[in-house]
Amino acid sequence: MKRFDVIDGMRGYFLVFMLINHLIFVGGYWLVEVNHRQFAFVEDAQGFVFLSGLLIGMVYARKMVKQGYAAGRDLIWARAFELYRYAMGTVIVILAAQMILPNAYRIWNNWLAYSHFDDPLRLSLIASFFFQPTFMDILPQYIVYMIFAPAAVWFCLKGRWGSVAVVSLIVWIAGQLGLQRLVTEPINAWMLKTDGEAIRSSFNLLGWQIVFFAGLIIGVLTSTGKVDWTKIFRPEDSFIPRMALALCLFFLPLRIMTAHDMMPQYMLDKFATMEIRADFGPVYLLNFAAVALGLAWLLIAGPKHSSAVIRGIANLVTRLFSIRYLQLLGRHSLHIYVWHVLIVYMVYYVDGRTTELSQLTKTIIAFACLGLLCLPAVWRERDRIFNRDVLAAEKLKS
């Protein structure tokens, strides 16, 4: 199946800002304040999870149509096992580095909580995803979702995508009500008693699954041609972009207020219950839906709009996601994600071993890391990249 370059560009974009946001320096640094999350309750992880579900639906729906449910299921589960190997491999590399690097136990304590190889209980909790070291928590949720993905893809292929959507919505509601705690609280109490650490995870799986399975449903419908997006996102019909823009503008001042601690406490007490990131609360769901719909309309209908301004904005967005560097990253998103975790840990280690760095030094380090981010992708495409360079050089000579 031919890859969608714009989707790769989006994944690369999210990976770039994921790295920028995950670099931790004493005293902070200015680059982390210059991105979309300062203006809406939309972050890179949401887009990354959505696009992963979208591609699962696109790729494996066709495989199931051609090869049957069992073959598609086995391929998805094989992919999930591959993700598991990478997740555990990342942990092993970091724990090995912790043994070698001076003072790494102290510097990484907040992220690893003194996890080490001679603690089988902690290792088993990490392997079962009950204890997830900092910035190693996205792959585990993918793996869990992909266990259920084959059935979801199959139901969508049978025309029952509405049932999948309803189940996903109900599970999301359960996550907002905290029903998962009926299961997690006993486990949490046992872990505190035996391991000394509570369940550690940045994502409520019941809440965040709605992003993945929304993408999966759209991916299946797109791949099988059951929906024509040009009929839904039409340049002459501005209801969708107007609605999306209205929601974004409504939440814009609220996001600025919460980002800069400007919201009065009496408002924050209520607002915070609807804006729990870990649960992917209603505020995040509404913002993500608005941005996703607006962006989809802009990419599909925007280039044909009668307004030159709208066409210009659509062209800029398309050109952004057509940047070759971003598409290169997106084509190898799994390897880039794992590599980004290693980069983040090493930068945090170096920062912890030095006096507080200047903003200029932090900025230089951040841009250097962005340059290094592509190394796994360049390595995996080395034959194509360097052969193309050789062919170009030979053409110039001739």
Side-chain angles (χ1 to χ4, degrees):
M1 180 179 177
K2 187 178 182 297
R3 296 190 66 91
F4 289 79
D5 292 337
V6 171
I7 293 177
D8 284 332
M10 287 183 183
R11 297 176 93 183
Y13 172 87
F14 293 134
L15 284 164
V16 164
F17 279 97
M18 197 178 292
L19 175 64
I20 290 174
N21 292 331
H22 288 173
L23 291 175
I24 306 297
F25 296 98
V26 173
Y29 76 121
W30 70 277
L31 269 180
V32 79
E33 303 297 332
V34 185
N35 64 67
H36 50 267
R37 74 172 188 169
Q38 301 299 320
F39 304 103
F41 295 92
V42 178
E43 300 177 357
D44 313 297
Q46 301 161 24
F48 204 64
V49 172
F50 175 81
L51 291 179
S52 295
L54 181 71
L55 288 173
I56 290 293
M58 283 181 158
V59 173
Y60 293 99
R62 289 193 176 184
K63 293 185 183 297
M64 280 192 184
V65 169
K66 293 179 180 179
Q67 304 174 30
Y69 170 76
R73 177 201 61 202
D74 292 345
L75 288 170
I76 294 175
W77 285 354
R79 178 64 171 171
F81 184 60
E82 180 187 14
L83 295 180
Y84 185 81
R85 294 199 303 271
Y86 275 99
M88 293 302 103
T90 306
V91 173
I92 291 170
V93 170
I94 293 297
L95 292 184
Q98 183 180 238
M99 294 175 61
I100 298 169
L101 299 174
N103 290 325
Y105 280 107
R106 175 184 61 81
I107 295 170
W108 288 339
N109 174 249
N110 289 336
W111 291 5
L112 298 175
Y114 288 115
S115 301
H116 42 80
F117 287 120
D118 59 357
D119 186 347
L121 176 59
R122 176 64 59 78
L123 293 178
S124 65
L125 292 172
I126 292 174
S128 56
F129 301 150
F130 286 113
F131 184 91
Q132 297 172 16
T134 301
F135 302 134
M136 300 186 199
D137 41 22
I138 288 186
L139 291 185
Q141 68 167 318
Y142 285 166
I143 294 165
V144 174
Y145 299 156
M146 290 177 74
I147 293 173
F148 300 96
V153 171
W154 186 250
F155 276 112
C156 290
L157 287 174
K158 294 300 180 181
R160 299 177 63 182
W161 62 269
S163 299
V164 177
V166 169
V167 170
S168 180
L169 179 61
I170 291 173
V171 172
W172 177 81
I173 294 172
Q176 306 313 301
L177 298 176
L179 299 187
Q180 76 280 358
R181 298 184 68 177
L182 293 171
V183 175
T184 59
E185 280 304 308
I187 298 173
N188 197 56
W190 173 81
M191 284 179 58
L192 284 170
K193 183 178 179 181
T194 56
D195 182 60
E197 290 285 340
I199 291 176
R200 187 169 182 176
S201 174
S202 298
F203 302 100
N204 177 346
L205 296 180
L206 300 189
W208 278 76
Q209 56 75 32
I210 198 169
V211 184
F212 180 89
F213 285 103
L216 182 145
I217 292 169
I218 293 171
V220 174
L221 295 178
T222 302
S223 178
T224 55
K226 292 183 178 178
V227 60
D228 183 353
W229 296 110
T230 59
K231 293 183 178 179
I232 296 176
F233 299 108
R234 294 176 296 161
E236 67 275 8
D237 186 353
S238 61
F239 173 75
I240 289 177
R242 287 179 183 275
M243 177 188 65
L245 181 61
L247 276 173
C248 290
L249 290 176
F250 172 78
F251 280 105
L252 174 61
L254 298 174
R255 180 64 190 120
I256 292 173
M257 292 170 70
T258 56
H260 299 283
D261 296 324
M262 297 165 59
M263 184 173 284
Q265 190 62 43
Y266 58 84
M267 286 180 60
L268 188 61
D269 291 340
K270 176 63 176 178
F271 188 79
T273 63
M274 308 289 285
E275 183 246 343
I276 301 174
R277 177 185 182 273
D279 293 339
F280 199 69
V283 170
Y284 280 95
L285 180 61
L286 286 171
N287 273 259
F288 180 76
V291 172
L293 286 170
L295 186 60
W297 184 89
L298 203 58
L299 289 170
I300 296 171
K304 299 177 182 178
H305 196 267
S306 58
S307 169
V309 174
I310 300 299
R311 292 198 304 272
I313 295 172
N315 182 54
L316 284 175
V317 172
T318 302
R319 288 175 65 181
L320 171 63
F321 297 132
S322 298
I323 295 174
R324 289 186 178 181
Y325 184 78
L326 297 183
Q327 293 181 354
L328 174 66
L329 298 179
R331 287 196 295 272
H332 307 278
S333 57
L334 169 60
H335 304 86
I336 298 298
Y337 173 79
V338 171
W339 177 235
H340 119 278
V341 172
L342 302 179
I343 290 174
V344 167
Y345 269 77
M346 290 311 302
V347 169
Y348 189 54
Y349 173 78
V350 171
D351 187 68
R353 294 272 292 172
T354 60
T355 57
E356 184 172 343
L357 303 172
S358 68
Q359 286 294 328
L360 177 60
T361 303
K362 294 173 184 177
T363 303
I364 292 172
I365 291 173
F367 277 103
C369 291
L370 289 174
L372 294 172
L373 190 61
C374 69
L375 289 183
V378 171
W379 174 255
R380 288 172 58 82
E381 293 195 18
R382 61 192 181 279
D383 291 338
R384 186 177 66 85
I385 292 172
F386 295 115
N387 284 344
R388 185 169 60 188
D389 292 342
V390 169
L391 290 172
E394 288 178 351
K395 269 188 180 179
L396 288 173
K397 287 181 181 178
S398 61

